[in-house]
Amino acid sequence: MDSSNSRLFITYSIVVIIVMILMGTVIIPLLSGNERIIAILTLVGGLIIFFVLIYNIFEKYIKPVRSAARVAEQLVKGNYKARTYVSHYGEAGKLSNTVNALARSLQEMTIQERMQGNQLRTVIDNMESGLMLIDERGYVHLVNRKFEAMFGKNANQYIGYLYYDVLDQENIHKAVQEAFLYEEKIKNSFTISLEVEKRYVEIVGAPIFNDTKNLKGAVLVFHDITELKRSEQTRKDFVANVSHELKTPMTSIRGFAETLLDGAMEEEELREQFLTIILNESQRLQTLVHDLLELSKLEHDELKLNRKLINISSLLDDILPIVSHQAQQKNITFNTTVKNTIEIVADPERLKQVFINLINNAINYTPNNGNISLSIETIDMFVRIIVSDNGIGISEESRDRIFERFYRVDKARSRNTGGTGLGLAIVKHIVEAHQGSIKVESKIDKGTTFCILLPKQ
Ligand SMILES: Nc1ncnc2c1ncn2[C@@H]1O[C@H](COP(=O)(O)OP(=O)(O)O)[C@@H](O)[C@H]1O
Ligand SMILES: [Mg+2]
């Protein structure tokens, strides 16, 4: 029994004792002898019975009811962990059981609600797009993590403020105003400059309505479309480059054909000279188209490599006669070192292309009487291919760009050797499709070394 219960119990007991004493003082003087003793005994017995009764009523009814009331108070205050002590008797027992059941289900409900809240928060925070929620008066109510990352401040610098006070992009203001004004979804894109970077952002604003179709605010979603724009730009550049590259030989073919028809055809010497040019230019055109097709095939069938277990030595048997012949023409010494039998799971045709492109470059960009070497060895789970030359080398600023399509350090020189500027782009593509890596080291006028690592499997 806690203190307030004991106090109540003591009060009741004192009242009963006083009543008994009063009854005693009234009745006893009126009696005599044995009657007195009987009366006293009856009073004392009555007192004891009263005590037992009061105690029972307390334990079985008053205490559980008071405890249930206290728990109900706690529940009202939001403390759903509160439980009443369980009485086993009658109505009071039912009451305490019901109160406890109520408390339990309230507690479960809040746990579920909190879990759902957390889930929603996690989803919102891990979205790939920025999100902002504003009410009908323009106050920001919610921003997610991506939004913070995009605009660079943290949530409490936005939440509770008017959107136009915390965001200075006119396009965002326009999007919100349009969503409010036209009460329909709007789409808009703009650029924002963050730190050093310029990012392209697409914004979608949608008004929010309540059950009675009244405007309650707007939700704005920000997609970062920088990568998309970038690849769009690359594609545009590529198309421009292709057209340009195709135009040069085509103009030349047409020009010489016209000159021939205009009369140059009559002169034996000119005829031969011009036809040779036309032949060379058409060959250039052919290689260019071939390389372009190769590149686009690689891009589309990246996953469709025709992998099989191949022996590097037998692969080289197909290539070496051709490239050695080219090297001989420039009197270039060509050394090959293949350590033991090396086997690799790869696409043989593609791998041949890698060797041919690298060795051709080495020959093309090395002056007469130079040296070229090809060495292949296994290192742990990898095959390492090194192609090096002692040719003209590549400057540091060009080194990062040589793998780009159409990038050539010296356009004229590359063109003279039949280069299209696509060779290394193709090589890199193939290597990466095989989960390998390619690196280049070079010193101007000292030479260049390409190093490829390919996983054996
Ligand atoms: N071994 C090398 N030595 C010097 N420069 C090289 C070498 N390999 C490639 N390059 C440079 O990289 C450019 C790109 O090579 P590549 O993609 O094969 O195109 P290209 O058709 O011009 O050979 C070349 O134009 C050349 O300037
Ligand atoms: Mg090349």
Side-chain angles (χ1 to χ4, degrees):
M1 234 191 267
D2 70 21
S3 67
S4 77
N5 280 341
S6 338
R7 244 194 328 258
L8 198 64
F9 181 71
I10 290 166
T11 321
Y12 284 0
S13 309
I14 290 171
V15 170
V16 170
I17 291 169
I18 290 170
V19 169
M20 288 296 179
I21 290 172
L22 283 177
M23 275 167 71
T25 44
V26 173
I27 295 167
I28 290 166
L30 302 176
L31 304 170
S32 60
N34 281 347
E35 284 175 339
R36 248 185 207 182
I37 296 168
I38 291 169
I40 290 172
L41 283 178
T42 316
L43 282 176
V44 171
L47 197 63
I48 291 168
I49 291 168
F50 260 120
F51 271 131
V52 173
L53 254 169
I54 291 175
Y55 181 78
N56 262 300
I57 291 172
F58 249 97
E59 276 301 307
K60 290 181 185 167
Y61 296 98
I62 297 180
K63 223 173 93 182
V65 170
R66 286 172 62 119
S67 162
R70 255 197 313 277
V71 170
E73 266 169 35
Q74 290 293 316
L75 295 182
V76 170
K77 284 184 194 153
N79 172 17
Y80 302 132
K81 283 194 202 124
R83 295 287 182 276
T84 171
Y85 103 103
V86 181
S87 154
H88 301 284
Y89 310 100
E91 299 301 318
K94 257 194 223 162
L95 176 69
S96 41
N97 278 329
T98 318
V99 169
N100 278 349
L102 177 69
R104 252 194 310 278
S105 64
L106 278 173
Q107 194 177 12
E108 273 163 25
M109 257 160 61
T110 39
I111 290 172
Q112 264 176 15
E113 203 177 296
R114 203 174 304 147
M115 255 163 56
Q116 277 170 0
N118 281 346
Q119 281 168 357
L120 196 64
R121 190 72 230 179
T122 316
V123 171
I124 287 175
D125 268 339
N126 291 292
M127 270 168 64
E128 262 310 296
S129 308
L131 187 94
M132 181 171 82
L133 188 74
I134 55 178
D135 66 14
E136 74 275 22
R137 291 169 307 154
Y139 284 95
V140 180
H141 279 243
L142 180 140
V143 295
N144 69 350
R145 219 176 278 158
K146 180 75 187 184
F147 181 93
E148 295 173 87
M150 269 179 171
F151 292 92
K153 291 191 224 162
N154 57 31
N156 47 29
Q157 287 168 287
Y158 296 108
I159 294 172
Y161 294 95
L162 284 166
Y163 73 90
Y164 47 79
D165 285 342
V166 284
L167 291 163
D168 25 73
Q169 281 79 9
E170 281 293 324
N171 308 58
I172 302 180
H173 300 178
K174 222 173 97 197
V176 178
Q177 282 153 11
E178 282 176 10
F180 279 159
L181 190 64
Y182 304 121
E183 299 198 347
E184 58 185 33
K185 207 162 102 181
I186 53 101
K187 208 178 205 175
N188 212 326
S189 59
F190 60 96
T191 52
I192 49 172
S193 304
L194 298 171
E195 284 156 34
V196 275
E197 265 191 309
K198 192 162 136 197
R199 320 258 341 151
Y200 288 88
V201 176
E202 185 185 73
I203 171 172
V204 180
I208 309 169
F209 300 100
N210 65 4
D211 296 340
T212 51
K213 301 261 180 278
N214 286 328
L215 188 67
K216 289 313 286 175
V219 56
L220 301 178
V221 182
F222 302 82
H223 304 293
D224 187 338
I225 51 166
T226 314
E227 291 308 316
L228 210 76
K229 282 270 178 196
R230 223 170 257 164
S231 69
E232 201 178 286
Q233 192 54 44
T234 321
R235 216 167 33 238
K236 279 185 194 157
D237 290 349
F238 181 64
V239 172
N241 273 327
V242 170
S243 325
H244 179 78
E245 291 294 330
L246 290 175
K247 218 169 92 190
T248 327
M250 263 170 7
T251 321
S252 149
I253 290 172
R254 187 188 163 148
F256 283 104
E258 274 171 2
T259 324
L260 279 173
L261 286 175
D262 281 350
M265 205 156 51
E266 310 304 330
E267 284 180 52
E268 172 92 42
E269 209 177 298
L270 281 183
R271 187 165 67 215
E272 197 171 330
Q273 193 191 340
F274 288 2
L275 281 175
T276 316
I277 294 174
I278 289 176
L279 181 66
N280 286 341
E281 289 297 308
S282 58
Q283 266 163 3
R284 256 191 68 67
L285 217 53
Q286 203 176 7
T287 13
L288 197 65
V289 171
H290 171 266
D291 280 1
L292 278 172
L293 279 178
E294 227 21 74
L295 206 57
S296 91
K297 244 194 276 170
L298 275 171
E299 274 176 354
H300 289 121
D301 311 340
E302 209 142 36
L303 300 169
K304 283 194 239 143
L305 287 176
N306 183 16
R307 288 175 202 252
K308 47 177 95 149
L309 187 68
I310 45 180
N311 186 330
I312 296 264
S313 303
S314 51
L315 191 86
L316 289 180
D317 287 344
D318 293 346
I319 305 166
L320 291 182
I322 312 167
V323 289
S324 304
H325 178 70
Q326 287 169 352
Q328 264 165 28
Q329 285 181 328
K330 286 180 82 175
N331 200 22
I332 288 172
T333 326
F334 184 33
N335 274 317
T336 326
T337 330
V338 183
K339 295 206 175 112
N340 308 325
T341 38
I342 296 173
E343 289 190 323
I344 184 170
V345 178
D347 184 328
E349 288 312 311
R350 301 271 185 241
L351 206 54
K352 267 188 212 171
Q353 254 177 314
V354 169
F355 284 117
I356 292 176
N357 285 354
L358 289 182
I359 299 169
N360 267 340
N361 278 351
I363 296 172
N364 287 339
Y365 303 106
T366 300
N368 290 355
N369 311 315
N371 290 308
I372 295 176
S373 74
L374 165 69
S375 99
I376 305 169
E377 58 184 329
T378 33
I379 296 174
D380 299 331
M381 299 306 291
F382 293 91
V383 173
R384 188 173 72 177
I385 301 162
I386 295 178
V387 180
S388 79
D389 62 59
N390 63 349
I392 59 170
I394 308 165
S395 71
E396 205 177 322
E397 60 272 22
S398 298
R399 219 170 295 152
D400 298 330
R401 304 201 52 196
I402 51 171
F403 297 103
E404 286 172 23
R405 297 149 180 193
F406 296 117
Y407 183 82
R408 284 164 287 187
V409 179
D410 179 346
K411 275 207 190 258
R413 185 176 199 135
S414 157
R415 207 168 271 139
N416 287 341
T417 59
T420 57
L422 294 173
L424 288 179
I426 293 175
V427 168
K428 190 163 188 226
H429 244 299
I430 297 175
V431 170
E432 283 174 358
H434 283 88
Q435 277 85 44
S437 63
I438 180 163
K439 272 198 305 218
V440 57
E441 274 170 30
S442 187
K443 259 211 171 89
I444 288 279
D445 290 332
K446 287 276 183 295
T448 307
T449 303
F450 284 92
C451 174
I452 294 177
L453 270 186
L454 290 176
K456 273 189 186 171
Q457 291 297 319

